[in-house]
């Protein structure tokens, strides 16, 4: 990369999703949201961490929407890299939806991981997600497959760094309150201790 190209990448708005490439993660809707952001002239990069059965379908959809310059697939990466990507993102996006066979998310632990790093989340009214995120206070929640509201929520966040910080702080407080004394997810607990150790290294 030239120095000017590298510098321009720094100012791209960083949107991040983490999760298996399956229907209930709502990636097809996310891609349509990214197309709407492009139409609005937003300079962004959307990074996806994860593997799964929809990989080829999503690669094809990215090409069909001409979003190769905006959407990046990282596949499966190690924990240190994941933390770095969460820390660097402006918006953490997890657009959970109900699969055609009725399959639902539980409470996605990646929301907890993003919240522990005080990152603002845009998600959906789905399963246990509203128990973690209060719309307009600790994040934005949209209806499943609502492309326009999801787009507008992302734009509101990326154009308002103080709102990013406020949502991140409130989500962190809510997670500490709900999960601090009664941890019900081993992955969450492992990640929490990992962050403490990293902070003290």
């Amino acid at each position: 990369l030239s120095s000017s190209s590298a510098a321009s990448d720094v100012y791209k708005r960083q949107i991040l999703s983490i999760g298996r490439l399956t229907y209930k993660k709502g990636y097809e809707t996310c891609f349509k949201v990214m197309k709407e952001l492009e139409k609005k002239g937003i300079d962004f990069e959307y990074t996806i961490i994860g593997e799964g059965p929809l990989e080829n379908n999503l690669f094809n959809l990215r090409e069909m929407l001409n979003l190769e310059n905006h959407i990046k697939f990282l596949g499966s990466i190690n924990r240190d890299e994941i933390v770095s990507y969460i820390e660097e993102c402006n918006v953490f996006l997890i657009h959970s939806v109900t699969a055609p066979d009725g399959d639902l998310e539980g409470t996605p632990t990646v929301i907890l991981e993003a919240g522990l790093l005080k990152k603002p989340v845009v998600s959906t009214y789905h399963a246990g997600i509203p128990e973690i995120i209060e719309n307009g206070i600790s994040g934005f929640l949209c209806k499943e497959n609502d492309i326009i509201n999801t787009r507008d929520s992302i734009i509101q966040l990326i154009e308002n760094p103080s709102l990013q910080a406020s949502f991140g702080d409130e989500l962190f407080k809510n997670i500490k309150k709900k999960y601090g004394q009664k941890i019900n997810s081993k992955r969450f607990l492992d990640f929490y201790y990992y962050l403490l150790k990293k902070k003290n290294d």
Side-chain angles (χ1 to χ4, degrees):
L1 287 177
S2 67
S3 59
S4 60
S5 175
S8 66
D9 287 343
V10 173
Y11 296 102
K12 285 178 182 279
R13 277 57 170 235
Q14 299 295 323
I15 304 166
L16 176 67
S17 291
I18 300 173
R20 278 181 51 75
L21 307 184
T22 60
Y23 188 95
K24 66 183 178 181
K25 295 298 184 181
Y27 285 119
E28 289 188 9
T29 298
C30 291
F31 280 31
K32 294 171 185 176
V33 170
M34 298 307 135
K35 190 64 182 180
E36 291 296 320
L37 290 177
E38 184 190 52
K39 290 177 183 177
K40 289 287 185 179
I42 305 294
D43 191 15
F44 71 92
E45 183 172 73
Y46 178 41
T47 301
I48 299 171
I49 297 173
E51 300 175 331
L54 291 184
E55 183 173 302
N56 288 336
N57 290 356
L58 293 175
F59 270 58
N60 291 337
L61 181 58
R62 178 180 64 171
E63 182 178 357
M64 185 179 73
L65 294 173
N66 295 315
L67 289 172
E68 293 93 337
N69 292 331
H70 289 290
I71 298 177
K72 178 169 64 176
F73 293 91
L74 294 186
S76 180
I77 63 177
N78 67 48
R79 176 55 58 84
D80 283 329
E81 290 178 294
I82 289 174
V83 171
S84 294
Y85 275 99
I86 297 176
E87 289 176 333
E88 291 169 7
C89 77
N90 300 108
V91 177
F92 190 85
L93 175 63
I94 178 162
H95 194 95
S96 300
V97 299
T98 305
D101 62 1
D103 190 19
L104 298 170
E105 297 265 32
T107 300
T109 53
V110 291
I111 292 179
L112 304 180
E113 294 176 0
L116 285 174
L117 292 169
K118 298 186 177 183
K119 288 298 173 177
V121 177
V122 175
S123 192
T124 53
Y125 290 102
H126 177 94
I129 295 172
E131 296 174 11
I132 308 173
I133 298 174
E134 188 173 358
N135 184 45
I137 295 176
S138 54
F140 280 129
L141 295 178
C142 308
K143 293 180 180 179
E144 294 182 20
N145 298 309
D146 187 336
I147 296 168
I148 301 305
N149 193 25
T150 303
R151 177 202 67 189
D152 292 346
S153 296
I154 293 173
I155 291 174
Q156 192 172 341
L157 274 171
I158 61 181
E159 292 184 345
N160 192 340
S162 64
L163 186 61
Q164 293 178 36
S166 173
F167 278 7
D169 287 341
E170 290 300 320
L171 182 56
F172 179 82
K173 291 176 188 175
N174 195 36
I175 291 171
K176 292 280 286 184
K177 179 180 176 181
K178 288 181 177 291
Y179 296 90
Q181 296 181 355
K182 189 171 67 175
I183 304 298
N184 62 6
S185 168
K186 183 178 184 301
R187 184 179 172 195
F188 169 78
L189 183 60
D190 289 344
F191 188 74
Y192 182 75
Y193 284 127
Y194 172 83
L195 288 180
L196 286 179
K197 181 179 182 299
K198 187 180 181 191
K199 186 176 181 181
N200 293 326
D201 283 346

